[in-house]
Amino acid sequence: MAQLYFRYGAMNSGKSIEILKVAHNYEEQNKSVLIFTSALDSRDEVGYVSSRIGIRAKAIPIHDDTHIYHIVENQTQNQKISCVLIDEVQFLNKDQIMQLTDIVDDLHIPVMGFGLKNDFQNELFEGSKYMLLYADKIEEMKTICWFCERKATMNLRIDEEGRPVYSGEQIQIGGNDSYYPVCRKCHKNPPL
Ligand SMILES: [Zn+2]
């Protein structure tokens, strides 16, 4: 049975590396996968999943009006798709998450969405909220707090002057602020 998977983690928890690994494992067995990523991800060129260790793969960019189900359904006319992988799934809207459920339920293709659960103000992203509500399997990808030894469960935004940011737009386009994986305690009081 195909299932919808949500694998979430804080910044730098290895989500992109994991996508590239899963894609590699399928391709090694001559099975086709489709990789998507949000067009909002500005860390690299649009249309790539890139890991911090330097490996990257081409991906289909998802814009706000991209119909993911139609793209996957079209692809199945030419080849059997064994798995659909989505990076930055937190940036998808509710309609697109519902399309992911249709890919699983109607096309019988497993879908794995990877992304952040909470934003820098510690609210759920729209995509993450609906993945939490609709996914069959939910798994946390763990990483350590940037400042201490606790598990990082939140993302701290730090501006160009090195100050923590706790308000503003959820998605910052083209800014120079940085995001760090942190524990709850260091999110409240970062030792800066
Ligand atoms: Zn900490």
Side-chain angles (χ1 to χ4, degrees):
M1 278 300 270
Q3 292 194 308
L4 178 60
Y5 299 83
F6 181 33
R7 302 185 73 182
Y8 70 88
M11 299 295 297
N12 302 355
S13 56
K15 298 184 290 292
S16 300
I17 295 167
E18 186 64 21
I19 287 193
L20 296 170
K21 197 176 92 183
V22 172
H24 178 78
N25 289 345
Y26 275 101
E27 282 159 2
E28 216 168 35
Q29 299 175 25
N30 294 316
K31 292 173 179 156
S32 297
V33 298
L34 287 179
I35 307 176
F36 290 84
T37 189
S38 169
L40 282 177
D41 180 14
S42 56
R43 287 176 303 174
D44 197 43
E45 270 176 82
V46 167
Y48 281 92
V49 172
S50 298
S51 71
R52 285 166 298 124
I53 57 170
I55 308 166
R56 68 178 197 167
K58 223 172 165 3
I60 302 164
I62 301 172
H63 299 268
D64 211 39
D65 58 355
T66 301
H67 202 293
I68 306 168
Y69 181 89
H70 286 162
I71 294 173
V72 174
E73 191 185 31
N74 269 335
Q75 288 291 322
T76 60
Q77 317 287 317
N78 316 319
Q79 57 184 334
K80 179 177 160 47
I81 304 297
S82 296
C83 186
V84 172
L85 300 166
I86 318 264
D87 199 10
E88 308 289 351
V89 76
Q90 74 271 11
F91 293 142
L92 274 53
N93 57 45
K94 183 185 177 184
D95 282 348
Q96 290 170 328
I97 301 299
M98 298 315 292
Q99 291 162 26
L100 302 186
T101 69
D102 292 340
I103 293 166
V104 172
D105 297 338
D106 302 343
L107 301 178
H108 312 291
I109 300 170
V111 176
M112 300 178 75
F114 294 74
L116 302 172
K117 179 163 58 70
N118 24 8
D119 68 12
F120 71 99
Q121 297 181 80
N122 221 34
E123 301 289 342
L124 291 173
F125 285 95
E126 181 174 349
S128 315
K129 173 183 169 182
Y130 289 102
M131 284 299 277
L132 286 170
L133 291 169
Y134 282 97
D136 298 296
K137 292 238 166 72
I138 298 169
E139 188 188 335
E140 182 181 32
M141 298 184 65
K142 296 181 180 69
T143 192
I144 299 291
C145 175
W146 192 265
F147 300 107
C148 73
E149 303 298 321
R150 294 182 187 88
K151 186 176 80 174
T153 53
M154 300 178 184
N155 303 294
L156 180 68
R157 177 168 159 187
I158 295 178
D159 70 13
E160 285 173 83
E161 274 89 53
R163 293 172 305 211
V165 182
Y166 295 107
S167 62
E169 293 293 309
Q170 183 177 58
I171 301 167
Q172 185 202 26
I173 308 290
N176 288 316
D177 290 5
S178 306
Y179 295 84
Y180 296 90
V182 292
C183 70
R184 181 179 59 226
K185 188 174 179 195
C186 294
H187 190 268
K188 284 190 275 191
N189 290 301
L192 289 166

